[in-house]
Amino acid sequence: MTQFALAAVLGLLFALGTFLVLRRDIVRVVWGVTIISQSANVYLVTMGGLSGSVPILSHGAHGDVGAVTDPLVQALVLTAIVIGFGTTAFALVLTYRVHQEHGTIDLFELERGGDT
Amino acid sequence: MEPAHLVVAPLLTALVTAILTLATRSYLNVQRTLSALGGIGYLVGVSVLYQAIQADADGVIVYQLSDWAAPFGITLVADALAVFMLALAGLVSLAALAYSVRFISDYGQRVSYHPLYHLMMVGVTGSFLTGDIFNLFVWFEVMLMSSYVLVAFYSGKEHTRAALTYVVLNLLGSAVMLLAIGGLYATTGTLNMADMARRLADPTAFGIDPAPVLGLSALLFTVFALKAGIAPFQFWVPPAYRAAPAPVAAMLAGVVKKVGVYAIIRLYFTIFAAATLPAGLSLPGLSGTSFLDFFGPVFFIMAAASILLGGFGAVGRKTLDGMLAYSSIGQVGFILLPLAVAATVPEVRVLGIAAALIYSLNHGFAKALLFLASGIVERMTGTLEFANLGGLTERAPVLSGGFFLGALALIGIPPLSGFFGKLLVFDTAARAGADAALAVALVGAILTIAYFSRAWNRGFWGEPVEILDRPSTALTVAVVALALGVVVLGIGFDPVMDAANAAANAALDRTGYVEAVAPEVVA
């Protein structure tokens, strides 16, 4: 049941992230990217196999191996969250800087002003 | 000292230099000196590591972080392939660094140019050395974080806009990479590359279904293709390269792109090639049971698209740096092309990988040279538009000579290093009997001649333009040094070819790689 609920939540999160990335407003694009990377983290947690029990009971005593949730993915997610935090902060600062330089954060207007 | 400790030498040198240059940012001359010394120290570290690998019986040195045995801890692996890429990175980065010392203004230095530069090198070095697939993601992020800031460095109108595209694309790329890595962990049960290769070679013993692994590795490939700027993921390249300061553009094209190339060689030829699909590929137009039988045609289509798109794009550019950016899309196609042939035809696999490595080395030197030269041209004339350029051979003969050598190296004129790169690409395709690859390479080669002749005619010959500023000769020295490098690599080609062959053999020596890392603690 947990698996099904998480799969549905993941689908929704990715859909929401994709929707936001396709907006004209840069701040929403940054939110969209953030939501997508956060859903990647949720996805990572589910990759550890959700058995519903605690990760590790005690040193050397794992009980039934099939019923243990893998703790490694949670360590991975921690790393990914820290990296995501840094990149999101940078993306927001960059958005502010874009606003200062161009006077707009509308991607359509940026496109018209650009000359690549 | 144990040789294993030498593996971290380049990594630590770059990291310590980054910290020292950050600490001395109020003393500009001290910072410059430390930064340059760090660049030299990095190269010394790489050469010591190279000698240690030569002396090692297996040619693979493994460093287990905190002495945690693989596959539990993070493993750093230095073999001939990693060291080849490290040497490329060290040499190009030193030239770009020597250039940066004079090129970057005092204000630029105060806003942390040098620490960022060295942190980018930390990320590059870590990516070449790591033996753990999640750790590869972390090093990618270290490298990208610094490159985001360096692309946005001038933070004018077009710079912020280009940086925004670059950041959003790479953030999406990172999310996709996490998805692929998570999936690979769930299907194979490990993140250690050597352990993964061992498990994929015997999937039934570990309960692995190879089919999802193929899909996930294909998903992972899109990330590397994005980093390397291979079509259809090439669109971020021209604005980002144009926005970045000239030495950073040189590093992005010369070194950072090669990280994507390295990851493709390491993961797809060393690791994923271990797996086979017992039922065969049931996709239209594909046959065979190996993963490489799937990736061969995919590589080929993307390489061909890059060569044509980059070539035709470069011919039509109105600016010198725009042309160089498109040219680098085409040249990465030339690096991927022998890999595509090597994946499809096992007989030429060593030759194909060696060709890709030699081409990467040549492109690293020549493209860095050209970007550095374009930076000087912009300082001198205030523009990079072909319409407003002309007569640079009269105004700056040494610089023009350097540019000319770089262009000839990319075109592939003997005895420059580019000749051997092109020759090996054609040789791989001819020996494999891959007529389509030959045809694409030929068209690409002609396009290269076309766009460089155009750049030369428009920018360097003709009516001389007014010179606004004479930049310091130290900048030209960096260009000349790279030009000499292109000549020396071509004339003294034997040792380079040996190193590339050793690297290609190391990339294909899966047993040696797995045995050196020794991840068999878990049954």
Side-chain angles (χ1 to χ4, degrees), chain B residues 37-241:
Chain B
L37 282 178
I40 296 167
Y42 183 88
L43 213 50
V44 173
V46 172
S47 53
V48 171
L49 183 59
Y50 177 76
Q51 275 162 7
I53 284 173
Q54 295 283 316
D56 191 81
D58 309 322
V60 186
I61 301 184
V62 177
Y63 182 82
Q64 312 278 16
L65 258 73
S66 308
D67 221 4
W68 281 86
F72 300 115
I74 295 169
T75 312
L76 298 179
V77 188
D79 62 356
L81 176 61
V83 172
F84 187 90
M85 300 309 282
L86 284 176
L88 161 67
L91 288 167
V92 174
S93 127
L94 184 62
L97 195 60
Y99 184 93
S100 311
V101 165
R102 286 279 156 237
F103 187 81
I104 299 298
S105 63
D106 288 357
Y107 177 72
Q109 269 196 286
R110 280 199 198 91
V111 290
S112 300
Y113 177 85
H114 286 288
L116 286 167
Y117 186 98
H118 289 286
L119 277 177
M120 189 162 82
M121 280 308 283
V122 173
V124 168
T125 316
S127 313
F128 288 151
L129 285 175
T130 186
D132 182 289
I133 204 163
F134 186 77
N135 204 228
L136 182 69
F137 165 78
V138 176
W139 289 123
F140 265 36
E141 289 302 311
V142 171
M143 175 179 89
L144 287 172
M145 273 289 243
S146 331
S147 73
Y148 296 154
V149 188
L150 288 172
V151 167
F153 194 71
Y154 289 142
S155 66
K157 267 194 169 186
E158 64 271 42
H159 312 116
T160 46
R161 215 175 83 86
L164 186 76
T165 324
Y166 182 67
V167 170
V168 168
L169 263 176
N170 277 303
L171 288 182
L172 289 175
S174 304
V176 172
M177 191 172 180
L178 268 186
L179 291 180
I181 290 173
L184 284 172
Y185 179 62
T187 43
T188 65
T190 184
L191 290 167
N192 187 290
M193 291 184 195
D195 197 26
M196 197 176 277
R198 185 177 67 105
R199 284 167 181 245
L200 285 175
D202 189 9
T204 39
F206 297 97
I208 298 172
D209 180 5
V213 179
L214 176 63
L216 290 163
S217 58
L219 186 64
L220 195 57
F221 173 66
T222 59
V223 181
F224 300 141
L226 176 73
K227 308 286 185 251
I230 300 166
F233 305 103
Q234 87 296 346
F235 45 86
W236 61 270
V237 171
Y241 284 15

Side-chain angles (χ1 to χ4, degrees), chain A residues 14 26 33 36 40-41 43-44 47 70 72-73 76 79-80 83 86-87 90 94 97-98 101-102 110-111 116, chain B residues 134 137-138 141 145 148-149 155-157 160-161 163-164 167-168 171-172 175 178-179 182-183 185-186 191 239:
Chain A
F14 273 113
I26 297 178
V33 172
I36 286 183
N41 292 343
Y43 162 88
L44 265 185
M47 288 296 112
D70 190 342
L72 181 73
V73 283
L76 300 187
T79 316
I83 294 173
T87 44
F90 179 73
L94 189 63
R97 186 72 201 152
V98 168
E101 284 295 322
H102 296 261
L110 280 185
E111 206 59 50
T116 28
Chain B
F134 186 77
F137 165 78
V138 176
E141 289 302 311
M145 273 289 243
Y148 296 154
V149 188
S155 66
K157 267 194 169 186
T160 46
R161 215 175 83 86
L164 186 76
V167 170
V168 168
L171 288 182
L172 289 175
L178 268 186
L179 291 180
Y185 179 62
L191 290 167

Side-chain angles (χ1 to χ4, degrees), chain B residues 158-450:
Chain B
E158 64 271 42
H159 312 116
T160 46
R161 215 175 83 86
L164 186 76
T165 324
Y166 182 67
V167 170
V168 168
L169 263 176
N170 277 303
L171 288 182
L172 289 175
S174 304
V176 172
M177 191 172 180
L178 268 186
L179 291 180
I181 290 173
L184 284 172
Y185 179 62
T187 43
T188 65
T190 184
L191 290 167
N192 187 290
M193 291 184 195
D195 197 26
M196 197 176 277
R198 185 177 67 105
R199 284 167 181 245
L200 285 175
D202 189 9
T204 39
F206 297 97
I208 298 172
D209 180 5
V213 179
L214 176 63
L216 290 163
S217 58
L219 186 64
L220 195 57
F221 173 66
T222 59
V223 181
F224 300 141
L226 176 73
K227 308 286 185 251
I230 300 166
F233 305 103
Q234 87 296 346
F235 45 86
W236 61 270
V237 171
Y241 284 15
R242 293 189 61 193
V248 174
M251 279 297 285
L252 289 179
V255 176
V256 174
K257 264 193 171 185
K258 306 302 181 302
V259 176
V261 173
Y262 165 81
I264 291 170
I265 296 178
R266 172 64 84 208
L267 283 174
Y268 295 90
F269 286 89
T270 316
I271 310 300
F272 293 132
T276 48
L277 288 167
L281 294 162
S282 55
L283 296 160
L286 296 172
S287 59
T289 55
S290 163
F291 273 24
L292 285 176
D293 290 326
F294 167 77
F295 283 109
V298 174
F299 286 180
F300 174 71
I301 292 170
M302 291 170 79
S306 304
I307 291 177
L308 299 177
L309 215 147
F312 282 114
V315 170
R317 283 309 99 183
K318 290 195 181 72
T319 59
L320 181 59
D321 51 352
M323 185 207 86
L324 291 177
Y326 270 91
S327 151
S328 108
I329 296 170
Q331 301 296 323
V332 169
F334 268 107
I335 296 172
L336 192 63
L337 193 66
L339 291 179
V341 177
T344 316
V345 186
E347 290 77 37
V348 295
R349 210 159 267 175
V350 176
L351 181 67
I353 295 177
L357 290 172
I358 295 283
Y359 209 100
S360 301
L361 184 70
N362 171 57
H363 179 250
F365 270 73
K367 193 46 68 62
L369 183 166
L370 294 170
F371 268 114
L372 295 184
S374 83
I376 303 179
V377 171
E378 189 170 26
R379 279 281 161 90
M380 280 171 58
T381 62
T383 178
L384 282 174
E385 289 193 24
F386 287 130
N388 303 327
L389 284 176
L392 286 170
T393 39
E394 286 178 36
R395 294 281 188 255
V398 181
L399 174 71
S400 307
F403 186 93
F404 194 60
L405 270 178
L408 287 186
L410 281 185
I411 292 169
I413 304 289
L416 305 174
S417 58
F419 167 69
F420 297 100
K422 276 251 163 56
L423 180 72
L424 286 167
V425 171
F426 280 105
D427 195 27
T428 311
R431 282 198 201 191
D435 295 335
L438 268 181
V440 169
L442 200 61
V443 174
I446 293 169
L447 285 172
T448 315
I449 300 175

Side-chain angles (χ1 to χ4, degrees), chain A residues 25-73:
Chain A
D25 185 341
I26 297 178
V27 176
R28 288 186 196 184
V29 172
V30 172
W31 282 356
V33 172
T34 313
I35 289 176
I36 286 183
S37 53
Q38 293 308 320
S39 17
N41 292 343
V42 179
Y43 162 88
L44 265 185
V45 172
T46 64
M47 288 296 112
L50 297 164
S51 60
S53 65
V54 283
I56 286 183
L57 300 175
S58 70
H59 188 71
H62 296 285
D64 180 13
V65 177
V68 174
T69 299
D70 190 342
L72 181 73
V73 283

